[in-house]
Amino acid sequence: MVKEIRPVTGSMTVDAAAGPTAPSARAEVFYARALRELAKLDLPFLLAGTYALSAYTGLVRETKDLDIVCKPSDYPRILNHFRDLGYTVEIEDERWLGKVFQDEYFFDVIFAFWHGMAPVTDQWFETAPRIEVFGTPMRVIAPTELIWSKAFVQLRHRYDGADIAHLILKQHDQIDWRRLLAHMELHWEVLLAHLLNFRWAYPSERDCVPRWLMDELVARLKTQFELPPPRVKICRGRLFSQIDYQLAIDEWGFVDADVDSE
């Protein structure tokens, strides 16, 4: 188990509840070196993924990589820096994801989420607290943005809804609920679904979610009931999983959410 996460002195700190388990000692060495090199770049970046989840909730699980979050304008500099050091780099999807490899170890460079739907902006860094990992001070993604980053991970083989429930349970007083609603404004039904799941999973802790937010989302649902269904047969399910909802596009006559319907 990683034991080297601890708070850094400064105005914004977090007491990490736990760290994930790396698959091997060699993987930990790779992670530590990668974080030191990232720090040398003097570019803003955030540690996300399992490391952030463990720090906030105390959940301990094995992780196969690091998730590094940066602004879209900075990811080419990160990839070029590691390429110059002899690492293998690739751009898996120019809309949101790059990767840095050394043998079987790698880390993701994420500059947007959901295939470019949610680019990382300066706002993501405003409230990101500081921690220290493997002796390197850095910022960890704030609980608000961590929930946003996980909200659409709903595939047949991976579902992050439980992670969101645990984040609400452990970090509800650190979540900027109005900003989370702003992030998910167009997708408020997804937010409502996660909040209902939390209320069901932890009924004694329902007050962790502000009453005004539940009132707002339920009011939107009631208003929507009074409207006719959309004319265009759109399947937004592919924002959850491109594979699991492909049949709706190929055979059932639905239009992909990111395709022009005309």
Side-chain angles (χ1 to χ4, degrees):
M1 180 188 304
V2 177
K3 299 293 187 181
E4 301 182 33
I5 303 181
R6 57 187 184 274
V8 178
T9 57
S11 58
M12 300 173 61
T13 63
V14 61
D15 293 315
T21 301
S24 67
R26 290 184 61 192
E28 286 197 5
V29 171
F30 168 77
Y31 298 157
R33 288 176 177 169
L35 292 173
R36 287 196 297 269
E37 288 299 330
L38 285 164
K40 291 179 184 177
L41 280 172
D42 196 28
L43 293 174
F45 72 91
L46 302 171
L47 184 63
T50 304
Y51 275 86
L53 181 71
S54 296
Y56 286 130
T57 67
L59 291 171
V60 177
R61 64 175 65 150
E62 186 172 297
T63 181
K64 68 182 185 303
D65 64 355
L66 292 173
D67 285 345
I68 300 301
V69 174
C70 68
K71 294 188 295 184
S73 57
D74 290 333
Y75 92 86
R77 292 179 59 186
I78 292 175
L79 294 187
N80 282 330
H81 176 74
F82 280 90
R83 183 193 59 185
D84 292 344
L85 292 173
Y87 292 75
T88 301
V89 303
E90 67 177 37
I91 301 173
E92 182 163 316
D93 190 326
E94 197 169 39
R95 295 172 295 179
W96 69 287
L97 177 64
K99 290 180 178 289
V100 175
F101 295 89
Q102 187 176 66
D103 300 324
E104 70 267 36
Y105 309 114
F106 69 97
F107 66 87
D108 289 335
V109 180
I110 303 168
F111 47 92
F113 287 87
W114 320 130
H115 306 283
M117 184 179 71
V120 177
T121 66
D122 287 329
Q123 187 184 46
W124 290 53
F125 298 87
E126 291 175 356
T127 59
R130 297 182 183 277
I131 63 172
E132 185 174 298
V133 183
F134 301 122
T136 300
M138 66 192 65
R139 291 187 183 274
V140 62
I141 188 172
T144 306
E145 278 68 42
L146 186 55
I147 290 174
W148 172 220
S149 74
K150 288 177 168 291
F152 288 84
V153 182
Q154 301 189 38
L155 295 85
R156 179 171 38 187
H157 62 280
R158 181 184 170 190
Y159 172 66
D160 280 3
D163 289 350
I164 291 176
H166 297 142
L167 282 164
I168 294 172
L169 179 67
K170 295 295 186 179
Q171 296 293 325
H172 57 92
D173 56 344
Q174 298 300 316
I175 296 169
D176 186 332
W177 294 101
R178 295 190 184 279
R179 188 159 76 181
L180 181 59
L181 179 58
H183 283 317
M184 303 190 70
E185 181 67 39
L186 187 60
H187 310 287
W188 60 268
E189 291 161 293
V190 177
L191 177 58
L192 177 58
H194 281 297
L195 297 183
L196 290 174
N197 283 339
F198 171 79
R199 287 169 57 86
W200 185 88
Y202 293 108
S204 64
E205 311 304 315
R206 290 170 180 164
D207 288 346
C208 290
V209 178
R211 176 61 183 269
W212 68 261
L213 179 57
M214 293 302 301
D215 287 344
E216 168 66 22
L217 295 175
V218 171
R220 293 185 186 191
L221 188 63
K222 290 180 178 179
T223 301
Q224 189 185 70
F225 284 151
E226 304 304 317
L227 297 174
R231 179 182 57 82
V232 178
K233 290 171 61 70
I234 291 177
C235 175
R236 290 187 296 194
R238 278 169 54 82
L239 294 177
F240 294 143
S241 170
Q242 293 190 331
I243 295 174
D244 296 329
Y245 289 88
Q246 185 62 45
L247 191 64
I249 308 302
D250 292 343
E251 299 185 18
W252 295 345
F254 288 85
V255 176
D256 205 341
D258 60 358
V259 174
D260 191 341
S261 60
E262 296 195 33

